[in-house]
Amino acid sequence: MSEFLMYLTNGMVMGVINAISAIGVSLIVGIMRVVNFAHGELYIFAGYFSYHLSTSLGVPPLIAMPLSVFFIFLVGIGMERTLIRPTYGNEMYSLIITFVLSIVLQNAALLIFGPYPNKPPNLVSGATNIFGLYHYGNQRLLTFFISIGILLFIFYLIKKTWFGKSIRAVSQDRGMASLVGVDHFRVNMLSFGLGAALAGAAGVVIAPIFPVTPTGSSAISLNAFVVVVLGGMGSLKGCVVGGLLLGMIENLGAAYISTMYRHIFGFIILILVLVFRPWGIFGQKTQ
Amino acid sequence: MEMKRWMILLMFLSVLGMVSSGWAADTIKIGVVGPRTGPAAATGKAFEEGIAIALDHINAKGGVLGKQVEVVFEDTGGVPEKAASAFEKLATRDKVPIVVGESHSSSALAEIEVANRYKVPFIICEAWHDDITKKNYKWVFRAGPVNSGVVDFYIAPFVKDNGFKKVAIVRENSDWGVGIAERTETDLKNFGIPFITLKVERESKDFYTELTKIKGEKPDIILAYIYGTGLHFFVAQANEVGLSPKCLILDGAGPPSLWDTFWKNVGKAGELELFMSSMHEKVHLTPTSRKFWDDYKKKYGKEPTDYKTRSIYNVVLIAADAISRAKSMGNEAIVTALEKTNLEVTTGNVKFGLKQGTYEYHQWMPPMLIVQWQDQKQVVVYPKEAATGTLKKGK
Amino acid sequence: MANAQQKRNFKKLWIIGFFVLLALFPPFFLSQYWLHVMIISLFYVMMASSWNLIAGFTGQVSFAHAAFSGIGAYVSGMLAVYLGLSPWLGIFVGMGVAALLGLALGYLCIRMGGIYLSLTTLGFSEILRIIITNEDQWTRGTMGLQVPGFFTEYSKTSYYYLFLIIAILILLIIYWIIHSEMGLTFRAVLNDELAASSSGINTIRVRILAFTISSAMAGLAGGLYGHYLMLITPDIPSLGQMFLVLAMVVIGGMGSFIGPIMGSFILEILSEYIRIYGEYHVLLFGLIALGISRFAPEGVMGVLGRRWKRAWA
């Protein structure tokens, strides 16, 4: 029984981690209809920045983390202005460009950061004994709570602030939004930056648990895509639910069916969803 | 017409390319294959260091057949298709008389086919799969560990002699992982030691599920046949779930436990971890070993940590020695010379086996060590003759 | 009018004939090494041209192309290893399986189009790779499956001509499709899907057909490739290979017939040169591809084409 609880907990923690990783993609897809294939690379770049800032430059981790996220935000804005903006409306080109960009960044990461996995220092160490039944790493628990914090922050941003409202306006009806005075170019730019920043935040928060490597980015991107499709493109609720679902299924599947196929569950879900309910759990049918 | 101009340009470039590869024939080139990129690029770095020292030593003595020796190091990326292509390049473009190296079994198994096709002698240093020499290709030699040897002479007796009661084998789904796990299962069965086996994906990062399963079985030692960063995650997470240090972990390969980032990634979970090695500062089996150690320190300002620097050093030396004795660059002559090798290297005296039909054909197994991290220091705990300390079990 | 057209066709025929003739000569003066490079380039010509058929001509960015070549390779390879089937037959079985799966996948996701198609094909590609890697009792996973070649006497020259003949066949088929009624339909669909479907064209059926044909070609190319290398690994159906094919098409020129051919040769030959300096060629290609898709989306052919027109104006 305690084993089952452990799997469940792990599924939940991984689930929330999946969710914040996926929100970055979901935001961009929902607003700009662009799939950011370079998501995983932004994630690892943030992780590497965080690592180098705190290790080589001695910046305290609590400052290194937000700083890295901010760098990635700037990178995202730069990406949008130079590469994505010209491809508006042409889905094919935005796919190709972000796909190629992801390969470029992957190789650049290899050259710049080297092939070894790097891990920013843990904020806490050791493990906690949960209800006396099993042990669970402290850093993971901390990450869990930070991730929930980020999720709540994003929900607040989208639902309550003016920026959030303009984002929702643009995603629902671009024409009308600009008619009522929303500068949709600016919204796009900031949203892409935000999406990138979220990828970075996920990286920065998760890197202390799972060290970043240049080759790990594709798995991260793919994972995020599964969550986004599962939950519904553009739906934040969907990311959370999708992320939790994926986390649970992967962990329980690995535990009770086969440890070797843990990633396959995710992809099979992706294909099943795309075939039977492409708009996801919370997505809108009118696509 | 535009097209014509392009075609002429293209043809000119290709001719240039073909011509340039035929130049410079007053050095002897030895080919090396290894992962310079990819997840095991750390080994590529280690190879570079070992090669540099080997060339220093060889060329200081006047080179081979009166010429200086040079190395062409082709990248395999750690994958068989690139490895085969790298070997093919060395054979057809650089036309080297001999190729050495490799640290991945899957790559090696692909390369030996190419070696056989082009009839180029090939000495492998760190690819452990039995089949590499079991296939008995006459062009293929191995001066390095072999799975069966590692398990039969070191891992299995270590488990038995130290009274471990239950073993958990965790193996990645790579050629090496599958091979060494199978041999381990056979040996443990013969010794009557109970065990369980778990398979993991090669690039896994999260082992909580597997570790929880293992914990339920209550083993007292885990044989971790996981290579690369995965091992770091595994060791760290085993500690988090409370499995280690009560249950010890043995890194079946070795180098990941020696990489610079090991302690950073693993933290105090690295204490009491065991790993395979063929090198230790206090264990100098030959004068060559000592010379290597000193020269490495002089050249790089630090002590050698990854034993693959020595492995590649050894095989480059063996290759140069064979060419010298063959007094020729012809492949048949080199193979004959290799079979007669009796050379002192860092880990002992190289003599290749000649028994056909087994993995011992063209195989020389260097002595290995099982090392344990105690207080962040390497302590040799097995075999007893080489031990520098005693095994500490966890609580 | 008819005269000018005839003249142009004649010229085209001469040019094509010239190249085919040129292509017959390499084994006589190229070293084994460069012959090998040519053979690999021909493989990529097959892959790039068939991917261009769906991406360049019908606008569907599928990421499953490399996966289909992998299916062709593994089916043929495993049949050879386990049932002793000759590769000459095996590659056609492989092609058939790839076609069937292409049909199924196409049927499932074409109606979704755009992003969904790309993500589904991505998912399909990765699932395949994971299955291949994990079912190592059958596929030998990352160790690679060792398979027999086509000829009992290994001869690069023979392989070169084999690849050349099949590449030319595939190109002929693609050429015929593009210039046929089907091709017109493709272009109609590409340029304005709404208009095309309102004028009665069953756009879905056309796209599924294109997808199936393209997958079959990839499967055939994969089978050839696998039996040439005599080693089949999960690298063949990988996203890394997919990227190379994509880059070749993008750089060469999407939507043009010669573009992918040029792209394949240029990138493959270039990568051999760059390899001497280290493994930067993927990064370099990525940057070039990025630059081209941003600033010159018609690729090298587009740039050349414009200058050609100017030269004749």
Side-chain angles (χ1 to χ4, degrees):
Chain A
M1 185 55 192
S2 71
E3 282 165 29
F4 178 69
L5 283 175
M6 154 71 103
Y7 299 140
L8 218 59
T9 313
N10 211 29
M12 225 169 49
V13 174
M14 289 299 142
V16 167
I17 290 177
N18 286 336
I20 55 168
S21 176
I23 287 187
V25 175
S26 186
L27 210 62
I28 297 175
V29 167
I31 296 169
M32 299 165 63
R33 303 286 303 166
V34 168
V35 178
N36 183 11
F37 278 109
H39 175 82
E41 283 72 31
L42 291 169
Y43 170 118
I44 61 162
F45 265 83
Y48 275 114
F49 284 156
S50 177
Y51 166 77
H52 281 287
L53 282 174
S54 42
T55 316
S56 322
L57 294 178
V59 176
L62 280 173
I63 299 186
M65 285 166 62
L67 204 59
S68 310
V69 175
F70 182 65
F71 281 159
I72 297 293
F73 173 71
L74 294 176
V75 169
I77 295 202
M79 269 172 66
E80 199 274 337
R81 299 222 57 200
T82 54
L83 293 170
I84 313 288
R85 190 168 288 198
T87 68
Y88 280 176
N90 192 337
E91 265 178 12
M92 181 171 78
Y93 271 105
S94 64
L95 281 169
I96 292 182
I97 278 196
T98 51
F99 180 68
V100 176
L101 185 66
S102 85
I103 303 278
V104 168
L105 288 176
Q106 236 187 66
N107 282 276
L110 189 60
L111 271 165
I112 302 174
F113 299 117
Y116 309 96
N118 279 320
K119 195 177 98 80
N122 276 13
L123 290 171
V124 294
S125 56
T128 315
N129 200 331
I130 313 264
F131 308 124
L133 288 168
Y134 57 90
H135 286 92
Y136 204 75
N138 281 341
Q139 179 68 35
R140 289 195 185 201
L141 292 172
L142 184 66
T143 300
F144 178 67
F145 290 117
I146 295 183
S147 309
I148 294 194
I150 295 179
L151 282 172
L152 291 172
F153 171 70
I154 295 292
F155 271 111
Y156 172 77
L157 191 71
I158 298 292
K159 289 276 161 46
K160 300 279 191 237
T161 66
W162 173 85
F163 175 64
K165 293 207 181 103
S166 10
I167 287 183
R168 278 184 291 151
V170 168
S171 74
Q172 281 168 12
D173 193 334
R174 193 175 281 270
M176 275 307 278
S178 74
L179 266 176
V180 299
V182 175
D183 178 355
H184 68 113
F185 282 122
R186 202 131 164 274
V187 168
N188 278 343
M189 192 175 78
L190 288 173
S191 321
F192 201 90
L194 184 62
L198 280 164
V204 147
V205 154
I206 301 170
I209 305 177
F210 295 133
V212 281
T213 59
T215 42
S217 51
S218 3
I220 294 165
S221 297
L222 293 169
N223 217 41
F225 298 152
V226 174
V227 174
V228 169
V229 171
L230 188 57
M233 295 209 193
S235 160
L236 296 183
K237 255 187 298 176
C239 281
V240 178
V241 174
L244 283 169
L245 213 61
L246 184 67
M248 297 289 187
I249 294 179
E250 272 193 357
N251 271 280
L252 292 172
Y256 294 115
I257 303 180
S258 160
T259 48
M260 293 250 284
Y261 281 94
R262 78 168 34 229
H263 293 126
I264 256 208
F265 299 122
F267 287 123
I268 293 190
I269 294 174
L270 175 70
I271 295 211
L272 287 174
V273 170
L274 282 170
V275 168
F276 293 113
R277 202 188 156 90
W279 50 91
I281 302 179
F282 289 107
Q284 288 117 323
K285 195 165 176 181
T286 56
Q287 294 295 2
Chain B
M1 260 176 48
E2 286 281 358
M3 266 300 147
K4 259 210 192 118
R5 254 180 256 162
W6 273 91
M7 279 309 300
I8 295 177
L9 185 66
L10 248 147
M11 290 217 279
F12 176 67
L13 281 173
S14 8
V15 170
L16 199 70
M18 290 177 272
V19 167
S20 60
S21 55
W23 284 350
D26 48 355
T27 57
I28 292 195
K29 291 201 222 147
I30 295 183
V32 172
V33 283
R36 305 188 79 164
T37 60
T43 300
K45 266 259 132 51
F47 274 12
E48 279 172 23
E49 294 174 348
I51 291 171
I53 302 190
L55 289 179
D56 284 347
H57 288 178
I58 297 173
N59 288 331
K61 291 210 199 105
V64 166
L65 299 181
K67 302 198 191 133
Q68 293 281 287
V69 174
E70 190 189 303
V71 154
V72 183
F73 187 176
E74 277 291 327
D75 178 32
T76 64
V79 284
E81 54 280 353
K82 268 184 100 175
S85 140
F87 197 101
E88 183 149 352
K89 249 183 241 141
L90 289 169
T92 57
R93 185 189 65 189
D94 305 289
K95 301 202 177 53
V96 295
I98 186 170
V99 179
V100 304
E102 198 46 75
S103 66
H104 282 97
S105 294
S106 47
S107 304
L109 286 166
E111 285 157 347
I112 59 175
E113 300 298 326
V114 185
N116 216 32
R117 214 181 301 153
Y118 290 104
K119 303 194 176 34
V120 176
F122 184 26
I123 312 178
I124 289 166
C125 63
E126 284 289 346
W128 296 10
H129 202 280
D130 290 10
D131 283 356
I132 293 169
T133 42
K134 201 155 160 205
K135 280 190 170 181
N136 283 187
Y137 285 159
K138 96 168 205 197
W139 309 100
V140 176
F141 290 78
R142 174 165 43 194
V146 51
N147 274 348
S148 293
V150 173
V151 175
D152 290 349
F153 300 130
Y154 299 100
I155 297 185
F158 169 78
V159 168
K160 176 153 168 279
D161 292 352
N162 285 291
F164 289 103
K165 299 273 182 321
K166 183 139 184 217
V167 175
I169 302 175
V170 180
R171 67 118 169 119
E172 62 175 29
N173 61 341
S174 78
D175 42 304
W176 166 70
V178 173
I180 199 171
E182 275 177 9
R183 189 67 180 201
T184 310
E185 289 174 347
T186 314
D187 283 9
L188 289 179
K189 230 180 265 169
N190 288 341
F191 286 158
I193 302 178
F195 61 88
I196 55 158
T197 309
L198 257 85
K199 311 177 194 174
V200 294
E201 248 182 67
R202 198 153 79 131
E203 319 231 312
S204 268
K205 284 197 199 151
D206 182 30
F207 296 101
Y208 264 45
T209 317
E210 289 86 347
L211 287 164
T212 311
K213 269 191 176 174
I214 296 175
K215 204 167 168 212
E217 302 280 339
K218 301 205 209 334
D220 45 9
I221 184 166
I222 300 177
L223 300 176
Y225 297 133
I226 301 173
Y227 192 73
T229 41
L231 182 81
H232 295 187
F233 304 152
F234 187 80
V235 170
Q237 290 168 21
N239 196 5
E240 281 171 24
V241 299
L243 191 52
S244 73
K246 185 147 171 237
C247 168
L248 290 180
I249 305 179
L250 170 72
D251 168 6
S257 303
L258 295 163
W259 291 345
D260 298 331
T261 43
F262 177 73
W263 289 103
K264 247 180 256 149
N265 290 341
V266 153
K268 62 177 178 62
E271 175 67 11
L272 297 189
E273 191 235 12
L274 297 146
F275 59 95
M276 299 300 307
S277 177
S278 68
M279 182 174 85
H280 188 274
E281 58 172 337
K282 296 218 189 76
V283 180
H284 288 293
L285 297 168
T286 64
T288 314
S289 163
R290 184 143 297 170
K291 184 167 184 333
F292 175 86
W293 199 275
D294 295 334
D295 287 347
Y296 185 99
K297 271 167 77 168
K298 238 182 275 164
K299 198 175 173 99
Y300 297 111
K302 57 178 171 121
E303 300 201 325
T305 44
D306 188 336
Y307 68 80
K308 296 198 178 180
T309 53
R310 271 197 353 182
S311 315
I312 194 74
Y313 170 87
N314 287 347
V315 286
V316 172
L317 247 60
I318 297 173
D321 171 70
I323 300 178
S324 289
R325 280 182 295 110
K327 295 210 197 354
S328 134
M329 310 246 276
N331 51 3
E332 295 276 356
I334 293 180
V335 167
T336 316
L338 279 171
E339 287 184 337
K340 299 204 185 82
T341 302
N342 188 353
L343 180 73
E344 179 198 290
V345 293
T346 59
T347 35
N349 232 54
V350 180
K351 268 212 188 79
F352 292 110
L354 297 172
K355 189 157 87 166
Q356 301 227 342
T358 68
Y359 72 78
E360 295 170 39
Y361 178 75
H362 285 183
Q363 163 77 39
W364 176 70
M365 168 107 185
M368 298 202 78
L369 311 163
I370 297 188
V371 180
Q372 184 176 45
W373 284 115
Q374 293 178 3
D375 291 325
Q376 303 208 2
K377 291 213 201 18
Q378 294 186 37
V379 176
V380 179
V381 296
Y382 197 86
K384 295 258 172 33
E385 311 84 68
T388 61
T390 39
L391 172 71
K392 275 203 196 140
K393 289 201 186 171
K395 284 180 265 291
Chain C
M1 185 92 120
N3 234 3
Q5 180 68 31
Q6 266 177 347
K7 259 212 205 125
R8 237 173 285 152
N9 282 343
F10 230 46
K11 248 200 179 108
K12 269 195 200 156
L13 223 63
W14 267 107
I15 297 175
I16 293 177
F18 172 69
F19 278 111
V20 172
L21 210 66
L22 202 70
L24 292 173
F25 283 99
F28 295 111
F29 61 88
L30 282 183
S31 69
Q32 290 283 292
Y33 172 64
W34 283 103
L35 208 54
H36 166 79
V37 175
M38 287 296 123
I39 296 175
I40 303 288
S41 306
L42 285 169
F43 163 69
Y44 282 116
V45 165
M46 296 185 230
M47 292 291 286
S49 301
S50 49
W51 190 73
N52 189 32
L53 193 62
I54 42 166
F57 285 103
T58 65
Q60 307 159 61
V61 181
S62 154
F63 288 113
H65 209 60
F68 285 119
S69 77
I71 289 175
Y74 271 100
V75 166
S76 176
M78 290 198 284
L79 284 173
V81 169
Y82 297 116
L83 293 179
L85 187 68
S86 158
W88 293 103
L89 293 171
I91 53 175
F92 290 107
V93 180
M95 180 173 86
V97 175
L100 275 169
L101 283 171
L103 182 63
L105 191 63
Y107 183 73
L108 282 178
C109 63
I110 296 266
R111 46 206 170 106
M112 297 184 251
I115 301 178
Y116 287 103
L117 180 96
S118 300
L119 285 181
T120 317
T121 52
L122 197 70
F124 174 77
S125 182
E126 280 298 285
I127 291 182
L128 190 77
R129 195 187 52 80
I130 293 179
I131 294 181
I132 290 176
T133 309
N134 286 331
E135 289 299 318
D136 43 17
Q137 307 106 295
W138 297 108
T139 63
R140 303 254 309 166
T142 49
M143 279 186 273
L145 183 68
Q146 259 151 30
V147 299
F150 286 105
F151 310 103
T152 37
E153 270 286 321
Y154 183 81
S155 149
K156 281 227 196 304
T157 309
S158 317
Y159 279 102
Y160 175 78
Y161 286 125
L162 177 64
F163 273 63
L164 186 67
I165 294 174
I166 307 247
I168 292 180
L169 275 170
I170 288 185
L171 286 173
L172 281 173
I173 296 179
I174 293 180
Y175 191 80
W176 178 78
I177 290 181
I178 298 176
H179 288 90
S180 73
E181 180 130 352
M182 215 192 321
L184 269 172
T185 317
F186 287 173
R187 257 172 303 188
V189 167
L190 177 67
N191 289 328
D192 194 331
E193 182 158 350
L194 205 55
S197 67
S198 58
S199 59
I201 302 177
N202 191 337
T203 62
I204 306 267
R205 247 206 326 183
V206 164
R207 279 151 70 186
I208 294 181
L209 188 60
F211 197 83
T212 309
I213 295 177
S214 149
S215 319
M217 289 175 173
L220 182 62
L224 282 170
Y225 191 56
H227 287 287
Y228 166 64
L229 295 178
M230 295 201 253
L231 179 73
I232 302 179
T233 65
D235 174 66
I236 299 182
S238 73
L239 287 177
Q241 283 289 83
M242 185 64 240
F243 166 69
L244 278 176
V245 174
L246 184 146
M248 288 168 179
V249 177
V250 167
I251 294 178
M254 279 187 86
S256 94
F257 178 70
I258 306 190
I261 304 176
M262 282 203 75
S264 307
F265 276 106
I266 294 177
L267 287 200
E268 183 53 33
I269 296 179
L270 221 79
S271 72
E272 291 300 317
Y273 278 108
I274 302 179
R275 250 189 262 265
I276 307 178
Y277 298 106
E279 281 297 308
Y280 302 120
H281 69 285
V282 180
L283 182 60
L284 192 68
F285 293 158
L287 288 170
I288 296 177
L290 213 57
I292 289 197
S293 37
R294 167 77 176 81
F295 296 111
E298 265 113 72
V300 170
M301 270 321 286
V303 172
L304 283 182
R306 269 182 259 150
R307 294 179 69 207
W308 208 329
K309 284 205 191 95
R310 240 181 282 150
W312 280 8

